[in-house]
Amino acid sequence: MKFIDEFRDGGLARGLAAAIAAEVDPSRRYNLMEFCGGHTHAISRYGLADLLPENVDMIHGPGCPVCVLPIGRIDNAIELAARPGLILCTYADTMRVPASGGLSLLKAKARGADIRMVYSSADAVRIAREHPDREVVFFAIGFETTTPPTAVAIRHAEAEGLSNFSVFCNHVLTPAAISNILESKEVRELGTVPLDGFIGPAHVSTVIGSQPYEYFAEEYGRPVVIAGFEPLDVMQAILMLVRQLNDGRAEVENEFTRAVTRDGNAKAKALVADVFELRRTFEWRGLGEVPWSALRIKERYRAFDAEARYAIEYASVPDNKACECGAILRGVKKPTDCKVFGTVCTPENPIGSCMVSSEGACAAHYTYGRFKDAAIVAAPAAEARR
Ligand code: SF4
């Protein structure tokens, strides 16, 4: 398939792996964080970590939309869905995120709540149009990629006079989260998460452009290479990061030039600026309260703000004690550090949010990585029997 096969060519991947191996300095380590779940998925699915030299470490970041959604926000959505006559619409992965009391939106639906999976915000507007006698709430989540469509939905609802439509806005912002990771105790004081550079988001950057990353490349002295989600994109970005680190540079470079520009998508950014404004603070799973890291609906569109319409009050809820999602999202631990990984917690029965979406670090490792773990354990045993 054009524009897909070219970026999955095994021969080219081996060539890039050889270039990385030739250029790494054996006397140092390269600790690189892929912020996005899309990159985590590509690294796991295509076995890219196996192609890298031993001193290049890939650390999973918090860029998976459902993984960073705190339990309290899912609880809010379940409470909304329990209101008589209300229809709650949301994206598929959100349905399975564990909430308080062993519930999830999927389980609430099984108990009778009218919760509908939609492919886009436009679907939610359509449902509101088709059910003028019912209140319809779109439970909006995600990074800068899904924010413009939510803005469009609100503007369409206003233009059509759909007074039964509103949005429970939980959109979050990437640059604030990256700054928060670099400011974290683990990185700054304890040094338990050594971070030398970042693979920057793909889809998010098509909207916001590469410019917003320039601040923390300069401020924190860490290089960023924006990369597409195909395996060759990731390998090329790793090579570019290795070169920057070898040269002592900390710049923003763009590997994903086929889709990302410095300034991003002006129309999408204007839509977002028209409908949303910054929240002073927002809780992220794993990162805690992060200042100026999320969006809320502006006063001008208050009629479509579910938080105002239903007086939603947020309460923070701790994660399941067994779950290490918080540490995994901060890059402090790996999925296999969790005692219930692959036993009690599986994609069919997720205990934490990182096991829900295919972009979550635990789900990606469960799907593509655990057989390798088993092989590594089995190999020395087989050796001993010889
Ligand atoms: S394996 Fe499950 S419980 Fe453990 S950290 Fe991952 S999502 Fe949380």
Side-chain angles (χ1 to χ4, degrees), residues 322-325 328 335 338 340-342 345 351-355 362:
C323 180
E324 299 280 10
C325 273
I328 290 170
C338 176
V340 294
F341 171 83
C345 183
I351 302 295
S353 58
C354 299
M355 193 57 101
C362 295

Side-chain angles (χ1 to χ4, degrees), residues 341-369:
F341 171 83
T343 52
V344 179
C345 183
T346 62
E348 291 73 37
N349 179 39
I351 302 295
S353 58
C354 299
M355 193 57 101
V356 172
S357 160
S358 62
E359 295 186 2
C362 295
H365 192 72
Y366 182 87
T367 308
Y368 302 111

Side-chain angles (χ1 to χ4, degrees), residues 309-324:
R309 186 180 294 197
Y310 302 104
I312 296 172
E313 286 191 14
Y314 178 71
S316 180
V317 178
D319 278 335
N320 184 309
K321 280 201 180 87
C323 180
E324 299 280 10

Side-chain angles (χ1 to χ4, degrees), residues 220-257:
Y220 299 101
R222 305 296 209 286
V224 179
V225 176
I226 294 159
F229 284 144
E230 292 301 327
L232 292 191
D233 289 317
V234 179
M235 292 298 285
Q236 178 67 34
I238 292 169
L239 178 60
M240 291 164 77
L241 282 170
V242 165
R243 285 178 176 163
Q244 283 208 48
L245 290 166
N246 286 350
D247 295 346
R249 289 181 289 126
E251 298 166 7
V252 177
E253 292 183 318
N254 182 12
E255 182 278 337
F256 198 27
T257 51

Side-chain angles (χ1 to χ4, degrees), residues 293-334:
S293 66
L295 298 172
R296 68 178 179 203
I297 296 168
K298 277 183 172 171
E299 186 65 26
R300 151 94 176 75
Y301 293 98
R302 186 178 168 83
F304 301 94
D305 185 353
E307 271 183 275
R309 186 180 294 197
Y310 302 104
I312 296 172
E313 286 191 14
Y314 178 71
S316 180
V317 178
D319 278 335
N320 184 309
K321 280 201 180 87
C323 180
E324 299 280 10
C325 273
I328 290 170
L329 290 165
R330 294 196 308 279
V332 179
K333 291 191 174 178
K334 293 184 185 298

